[in-house]
């Protein structure tokens, strides 16, 4: 059976040949009409009342580069699930006749058959945690993404960690700040500030914590659910390596026992059974209820708070979904990480926008997404994401996040900054003098009237 999309391509090619074979007079007439319509476009469209709207006496806009193509550029996500993926879009491309990784092609249809609007060079901006090496421990596991797996992501790195009920990520600290988001279950955190204030809290799904650089801390899966907990960690440098931290067991194993005895005022024999190397993740007894586990501190609980009940914040509704933001304005301790939690309904889209000075590190929790990154000067590339994938958009690069699946799209936008910022394309155009916008884009008043002066976020 001939592939259905090959038939479509053949039909498009036949139409193209028929146009080429048409009588010269008809072709010239068609071209002449198109040129007249396009390059002498009038900006004096009348309103329904008959009064001219935005009438201009300036000459019609002309473009030396021509006009954009009308080629259809929908995602082939659905088609690829039901047929063998092929590297064909319209009249372009050809079938795959060599070895093919069909599951990967089905996950990333816009890699195999990219939109015709893709052009130039944009570095890889997708990394699935499923491709990361997993460090398996008794009681849990951890896998990471950093510049070693996605070189473009220089500003941030991520870790996906799992702790069984009672399992402990040992006492340790980092040279970088750590931002945590609970995916499933409940995680008990402990920490100490440089001022000597302690902190303990239970972090539930959708809630977050933030340990500034150098703050010692620990993580433990509780028995709030039988499975323990799983969470996402984000660090404020792409060079972060989860395997290179400051664990307490590793430090004490590399200090003479005589020094340990002197430091703690204990007999040297008290340290005969300390671990010989890093524990990292190890099994333990599920912690008691939080109120029974809090250690009295003469200096009081850490202030500002190290955790934030983000799950309790009501999202802001939008036409195509909802969103909510956390940064230093509502979570004061978080000085280097800001984030947005975004829900996009089926058929909806996180509007076209960019972030002025900071890259976006994204984590997809559910659904299927399509993102085109515009990197400037004719460079544009489209990526597909699904649950467990990481995305990355460089600073000031225009992009959108489109829900191309049949379920709700849920993802996090994370930034290395103290305050969330974005610029809406829709709002920018609406708040620019109409004649400037119409001259730039060759659009009429009816189209300009669709632009919204209020940021839409999800459309």
């Amino acid at each position: 059976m001939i592939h259905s999309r090959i038939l479509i391509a053949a039909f498009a090619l036949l139409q193209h040949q028929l146009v080429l074979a048409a009588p010269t007079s008809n072709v010239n007439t068609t071209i002449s009409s198109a040129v007249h319509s396009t390059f002498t476009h009038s900006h004096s469209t009348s309103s329904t009342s008959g009064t001219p709207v935005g009438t201009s006496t300036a000459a019609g806009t002309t473009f030396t580069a021509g006009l954009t193509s009308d080629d259809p550029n929908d995602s082939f996500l659905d088609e690829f699930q039901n047929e063998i993926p092929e590297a064909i879009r319209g009249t372009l491309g050809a079938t795959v006749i060599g070895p093919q990784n069909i599951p990967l092609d089905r996950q990333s249809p816009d890699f195999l058959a990219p939109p015709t609007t893709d052009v130039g060079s944009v570095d890889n901006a997708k990394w699935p945690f499923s491709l990361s090496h997993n460090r398996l421990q008794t009681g849990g596991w951890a896998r990471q993404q950093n510049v070693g797996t996605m070189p473009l992501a220089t500003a941030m790195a991520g870790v996906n960690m799992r702790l069984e009920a009672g399992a402990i990520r040992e006492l340790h600290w980092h040279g970088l700040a750590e931002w945590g988001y609970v995916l499933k279950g409940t995680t008990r955190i402990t920490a100490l500030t440089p001022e000597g204030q302690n902190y303990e809290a239970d972090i539930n799904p959708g809630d977050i914590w933030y340990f500034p650089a150098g703050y010692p801390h620990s993580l433990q899966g509780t028995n709030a659910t039988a499975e323990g907990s799983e969470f996402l960690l984000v660090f404020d440098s792409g060079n972060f390596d989860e395997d290179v931290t400051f664990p307490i067991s590793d430090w004490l194993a590399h200090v003479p026992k005589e020094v340990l005895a002197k430091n703690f005022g204990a007999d040297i024999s008290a340290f005969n059974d300390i671990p010989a190397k890093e524990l990292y993740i190890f099994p333990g007894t599920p912690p008691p209820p939080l109120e029974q586990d809090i250690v009295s501190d003469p200096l009081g609980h850490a202030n500002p708070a190290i955790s934030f009940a983000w799950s309790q914040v009501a999202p802001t509704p939008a036409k195509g979904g909802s969103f909510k933001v956390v940064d230093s304005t509502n979570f004061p301790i978080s000085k280097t990480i800001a984030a947005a939690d975004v829900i996009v309904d089926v058929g909806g889209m996180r509007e076209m926008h960019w972030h002025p000075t900071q890259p976006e590190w994204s984590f997809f929790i559910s659904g299927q997404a399509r993102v085109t990154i515009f990197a400037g000067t004719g460079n544009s590339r489209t990526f597909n994401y699904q649950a467990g994938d990481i995305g990355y958009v460089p600073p000031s690069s225009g992009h959108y996040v489109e829900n191309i699946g049949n379920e709700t799209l849920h993802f996090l936008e994370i930034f290395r900054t103290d305050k969330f910022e974005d610029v809406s394309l829709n709002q920018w155009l609406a708040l620019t003098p109409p004649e400037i916008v119409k001259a730039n884009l060759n659009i009429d008043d009816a189209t300009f009237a669709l632009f919204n002066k209020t940021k839409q976020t999800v459309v």
Side-chain angles (χ1 to χ4, degrees):
M1 179 181 294
I2 300 178
H3 194 286
S4 60
R5 292 202 301 116
I6 299 177
L7 286 175
I8 294 172
F11 180 71
L13 180 60
L14 178 61
Q15 285 183 310
H16 179 67
Q17 292 172 336
L18 288 174
V19 170
L20 292 178
T24 305
S25 59
N26 292 341
V27 173
N28 288 340
T29 301
T30 302
I31 293 175
S32 175
S33 299
V35 169
H36 177 79
S37 173
T38 300
F39 297 104
T40 60
H41 184 84
S42 172
H43 297 311
S44 59
T45 304
S46 297
S47 68
T48 53
S49 63
T51 304
V53 178
T55 303
S56 173
T57 58
T61 302
T62 60
F63 298 109
T64 58
L67 301 180
T68 55
S69 169
D70 287 332
D71 291 341
N73 279 304
D74 289 338
S75 172
F76 290 141
L77 179 67
D78 289 341
E79 290 89 337
F80 278 11
Q81 309 314 308
N82 299 314
E83 56 188 50
I84 301 299
E86 298 290 4
I88 296 173
R89 185 175 284 277
T91 61
L92 302 176
T95 59
V96 178
I97 59 175
Q100 183 176 11
N101 190 327
I102 292 176
L104 281 183
D105 286 339
R106 284 178 170 160
Q107 289 179 18
S108 296
D110 290 294
F111 277 14
L112 183 65
T116 59
T117 48
D118 279 13
V119 68
S121 176
V122 175
D123 289 342
N124 179 55
K126 172 179 178 174
W127 182 260
F129 267 131
S130 294
L131 294 181
S132 294
H133 176 266
N134 208 356
R135 181 175 178 178
L136 303 182
Q137 300 281 132
T138 304
W141 50 257
R143 51 189 178 177
Q144 70 177 352
Q145 169 276 319
N146 56 22
V147 290
T149 56
M150 188 163 60
L152 179 68
T154 57
M156 287 165 283
V159 173
N160 179 204
M161 186 173 289
R162 170 85 162 86
L163 298 176
E164 293 182 331
I168 298 170
R169 169 66 173 101
E170 74 165 305
L171 290 159
H172 66 288
W173 71 96
H174 311 284
L176 298 169
E178 173 185 310
W179 186 92
Y181 177 94
V182 175
L183 298 165
K184 295 284 186 180
T186 299
T187 306
R188 174 76 51 90
I189 68 168
T190 71
L192 183 74
T193 72
E195 294 75 27
Q197 295 176 309
N198 69 348
Y199 192 87
E200 305 95 44
D202 282 345
I203 316 299
N204 298 309
D207 293 342
I208 59 176
W209 67 78
Y210 180 88
F211 301 129
Y215 275 42
H217 57 278
S218 70
L219 310 170
Q220 185 174 21
T222 75
N223 59 357
T225 61
E227 295 81 10
S229 67
E230 184 174 337
F231 43 87
L232 174 72
L233 305 176
V234 179
F235 298 88
D236 54 3
S237 172
N239 290 309
F240 174 81
D241 188 343
E242 176 67 10
D243 297 330
V244 183
T245 58
F246 298 92
I248 189 172
S249 59
D250 193 37
W251 187 20
L252 269 59
H254 291 87
V255 173
K257 290 181 182 178
E258 292 81 359
V259 173
L260 297 178
K262 184 181 295 186
N263 185 78
F264 295 108
D267 186 86
I268 193 171
S269 62
F271 302 98
N272 286 343
D273 296 326
I274 63 173
K277 61 180 182 178
E278 173 192 21
L279 293 175
Y280 191 61
I281 293 173
F282 61 96
T285 302
L290 182 62
E291 60 273 12
Q292 299 177 20
D293 207 30
I294 293 179
V295 178
S296 176
D297 184 348
L299 296 179
H301 222 45
N303 186 28
I306 289 174
S307 64
F308 181 69
W310 202 16
S311 65
Q312 304 304 309
V313 175
T316 299
K319 289 183 178 180
S322 65
F323 66 96
K324 55 184 177 181
V325 170
V326 61
D327 59 19
S328 61
T329 61
N330 54 359
F331 187 28
I333 198 171
S334 188
K335 297 298 186 182
T336 64
I337 299 288
D341 185 305
V342 184
I343 298 291
V344 182
D345 296 336
V346 174
M349 185 175 79
R350 169 74 165 97
E351 69 170 335
M352 296 174 71
H353 67 287
W354 67 94
H355 306 281
T357 61
Q358 295 298 324
E360 174 184 322
W361 190 97
S362 304
F363 181 70
F364 291 84
I365 297 174
S366 66
Q368 301 273 355
R370 178 166 77 156
V371 177
T372 297
I373 298 174
F374 170 62
T377 320
N379 293 290
S380 184
R381 184 178 175 190
T382 301
F383 298 84
N384 299 110
Y385 300 94
Q386 59 185 12
D389 287 351
I390 297 161
Y392 194 84
V393 181
S396 289
S397 293
H399 60 287
Y400 61 87
V401 184
E402 181 185 13
N403 184 346
I404 58 172
N406 298 315
E407 62 176 310
T408 298
L409 174 64
H410 182 197
F411 68 98
L412 303 176
E413 301 178 0
I414 302 173
F415 309 89
R416 192 181 65 180
T417 183
D418 65 335
K419 188 176 180 181
F420 174 88
E421 290 183 326
D422 70 347
V423 178
S424 162
L425 172 64
N426 199 337
Q427 186 180 44
W428 176 39
L429 296 178
L431 293 174
T432 299
E435 291 306 315
I436 295 292
V437 176
K438 291 187 291 184
N440 272 262
L441 300 180
N442 202 26
I443 59 173
D444 58 21
D445 294 291
T447 302
F448 182 85
L450 297 175
F451 301 151
N452 204 307
K453 294 181 179 179
T454 303
K455 192 176 294 185
Q456 300 299 289
T457 307
V458 186
V459 295

